[in-house]
């Protein structure tokens, strides 16, 4: 996976800094995991652009990395997945790309448009914290269970 990401960055001719992070220990009621804790919540907002490449065998669904980056206040460019539009607005909460040339253009654009990048990152963080936190998921699961 790391090799695939490195090759992708080379293809768009962008210098990058690789940030290694420890894997999350999983959500423990808001204390660790997700965008709540660990070192990545401190590193993600410092990156000008955070890239997400969903692995090829995942044809639907959104990886936790999307929620982590947005929740931590990072600006995200991710590959398109149909479910993204169920939760986020392209160019408002995050940015998605559909092909290599689209990614190249968006990375170049957002590297030179700092205020727009910061606005989108702030919108994404606000949306995740307001609508997609642990309490909202617990409430949703509780309602589903009660309706059974």
């Amino acid at each position: 996976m790391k090799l695939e990401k490195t090759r992708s960055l080379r293809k768009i001719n962008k210098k990058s800094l690789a940030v290694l992070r420890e894997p999350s220990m999983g959500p423990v009621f808001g204390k660790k995991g997700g965008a709540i804790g660990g070192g990545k919540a401190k590193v993600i907002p410092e990156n000008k652009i955070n890239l997400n490449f969903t692995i090829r065998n995942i044809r639907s669904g959104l990886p936790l990395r999307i929620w982590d980056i947005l929740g931590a206040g990072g600006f995200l460019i991710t590959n398109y997945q149909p479910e993204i539009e169920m939760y986020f607005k392209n160019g408002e909460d995050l940015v998605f790309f559909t092909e290599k040339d689209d990614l190249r253009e968006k990375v170049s654009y957002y590297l030179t448009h700092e205020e727009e990048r910061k606005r989108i990152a702030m919108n994404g963080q606000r949306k995740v914290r307001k609508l997609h936190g642990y309490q909202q998921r617990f409430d949703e699961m509780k309602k589903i269970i009660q309706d059974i």
Side-chain angles (χ1 to χ4, degrees):
M1 184 64 180
K2 288 179 185 176
L3 184 57
E4 185 176 324
K5 289 179 182 179
T6 302
R7 287 181 183 151
S8 297
L9 289 170
R10 281 191 201 133
K11 286 180 181 178
I12 62 171
N13 296 319
K14 292 294 172 192
K15 293 179 184 177
S16 66
L17 168 68
V19 178
L20 301 177
R21 63 175 177 86
E22 65 180 77
S24 171
M25 299 302 289
V28 184
F29 302 101
K31 296 187 190 242
K32 175 99 173 89
I36 303 301
K40 70 181 166 180
K42 295 174 186 160
V43 172
I44 287 170
E46 299 299 319
N47 297 331
K48 288 182 179 179
I49 296 176
N50 294 276
L51 297 175
N52 176 62
F53 300 96
T54 306
I55 57 177
R56 291 181 189 146
N57 63 339
I58 297 177
R59 302 206 190 281
S60 68
L62 300 178
L64 183 58
R65 180 179 294 115
I66 288 177
W67 307 98
D68 285 348
I69 291 169
L70 296 177
F75 174 77
L76 174 65
I77 298 180
T78 183
N79 61 290
Y80 178 78
Q81 294 280 98
E83 291 83 0
I84 288 176
E85 295 177 297
M86 293 170 57
Y87 301 100
F88 304 106
K89 291 186 180 173
N90 188 32
E92 206 171 294
D93 305 313
L94 52 66
V95 173
F96 63 73
F97 66 92
T98 54
E99 59 185 57
K100 182 174 61 172
D101 290 336
D102 187 29
L103 172 61
R104 181 182 298 121
E105 289 170 16
K106 287 177 177 172
V107 166
S108 296
Y109 176 83
Y110 285 107
L111 282 173
T112 60
H113 290 81
E114 184 175 357
E115 291 305 313
E116 188 174 358
R117 197 173 66 233
K118 286 180 179 181
R119 178 186 56 76
I120 292 170
M122 191 169 26
N123 288 343
Q125 183 181 44
R126 198 176 298 130
K127 183 172 275 186
V128 166
R129 289 186 175 184
K130 182 178 180 184
L131 302 174
H132 304 291
Y134 286 109
Q135 189 60 51
Q136 290 85 354
R137 294 292 84 82
F138 287 139
D139 292 345
E140 191 175 319
M141 287 186 282
K142 185 178 175 183
K143 182 171 179 4
I144 290 169
I145 291 169
Q146 288 173 343
D147 290 346
I148 293 178

